[in-house]
Amino acid sequence: MSAALPPFPKPQETAGPPELLQVGTGTEEEPCLRADAARNRARLLEAAARLVAEHGAAGVTMEAVAAAASVGKGTVFRRFGDRTGLLMALLDHSEKKFQAALLGGPPPLGPGAPPVERLRAFGCAMLRRSIDEMDLQLAAEPSAERRYTSAPRRFLRGHVALLLRQAVPDGDSELLSHTLLAYLDAALVHHLTEQCGVPPARLQAGWLDLVARVTRTEHPA
């Protein structure tokens, strides 16, 4: 008989609510953008987000964003440098909005709802976001060695672990949080929806079923 496996090291518990972690665009932001510059940047990013939703990441070019935002092409280049800088800024913008909704938005995604309801809302919102931003998220997928240590992933896992500790105090919230996030992985969502033809409604129903089983609660009607 083979020797017993060594004990699994006890993971560090995350104390308190997860820290707000950001993607970062790869370039340093000005510490305080002028009001008009900040408005122009937000306008460009909203235009780029519409292009992603309508045409995928391939439809996001500096020229297309300039036209959609009704500004000169030079304005886009001055703000983001090149297309890669624009896409990274767009992903950062999306991540910050999602984090803000988790930390301070209305319930059940934000604070104020029971932890199981927040888990259900979190997964459904993640699935919608992955489907809406599929090309962008796949293009920004971290390398294998950084997949579980990137700032956005650490933030999301910490958020799920916190809700699990509240909902299932006797469970291993650290390991279970990895399990739940694996269901919401953008590459898996792409495989299931685009390559296997699984409808988004079935993915959402599967998430609700998974949360019910993990938290030992009733499946919502």
Side-chain angles (χ1 to χ4, degrees):
M1 181 180 295
S2 60
L5 292 174
F8 193 83
K10 182 176 178 58
Q12 293 183 345
E13 293 289 334
T14 307
E19 178 186 1
L20 183 65
L21 296 169
Q22 299 169 358
V23 176
T25 62
T27 58
E28 292 297 323
E29 289 286 332
E30 298 93 331
C32 184
L33 287 174
R34 297 194 320 272
D36 58 341
R39 283 194 298 270
N40 286 340
R41 185 176 191 275
R43 182 180 176 186
L44 292 170
L45 290 173
E46 292 299 334
R50 289 197 304 273
L51 289 172
V52 170
E54 294 170 3
H55 308 291
V60 179
T61 64
M62 307 299 265
E63 294 81 1
V65 171
S70 301
V71 300
K73 184 170 64 174
T75 301
V76 187
F77 278 98
R78 283 192 299 273
R79 173 52 57 198
F80 302 108
D82 57 18
R83 184 175 181 274
T84 299
L86 171 62
L87 290 176
M88 290 304 298
L90 180 58
L91 184 64
D92 185 63
H93 180 64
S94 171
E95 190 66 38
K96 288 176 182 176
K97 286 173 62 177
F98 191 67
Q99 291 177 2
L102 294 178
L103 294 178
L109 187 60
V116 174
E117 288 187 24
R118 295 193 69 194
L119 275 173
R120 293 171 184 152
F122 169 82
C124 293
M126 283 283 289
L127 288 171
R128 286 194 300 271
R129 184 179 173 215
S130 290
I131 292 170
D132 290 344
E133 302 177 356
M134 183 62 67
D135 288 352
L136 185 61
Q137 293 206 19
L138 291 177
E141 183 76 10
S143 58
E145 64 272 13
R146 292 189 59 250
R147 182 166 299 157
Y148 301 103
T149 59
S150 65
R153 178 80 179 202
R154 284 162 42 211
F155 170 82
L156 295 175
R157 197 201 59 75
H159 177 73
V160 172
L162 175 65
L163 295 178
L164 284 170
R165 279 197 297 277
Q166 296 170 351
V168 197
D170 61 337
D172 189 333
S173 60
E174 300 297 312
L175 288 182
L176 287 175
S177 64
H178 283 289
T179 300
L180 292 182
L181 278 182
Y183 184 93
L184 306 171
D185 180 71
L188 176 61
V189 173
H190 175 265
H191 168 68
L192 292 174
T193 57
E194 299 298 320
Q195 298 176 332
C196 300
V198 176
R202 183 180 171 191
L203 288 181
Q204 178 173 306
W207 169 258
L208 298 177
D209 180 61
L210 178 60
V211 170
R213 293 175 187 275
V214 168
T215 59
R216 300 188 290 272
T217 56
E218 293 293 326
H219 193 293

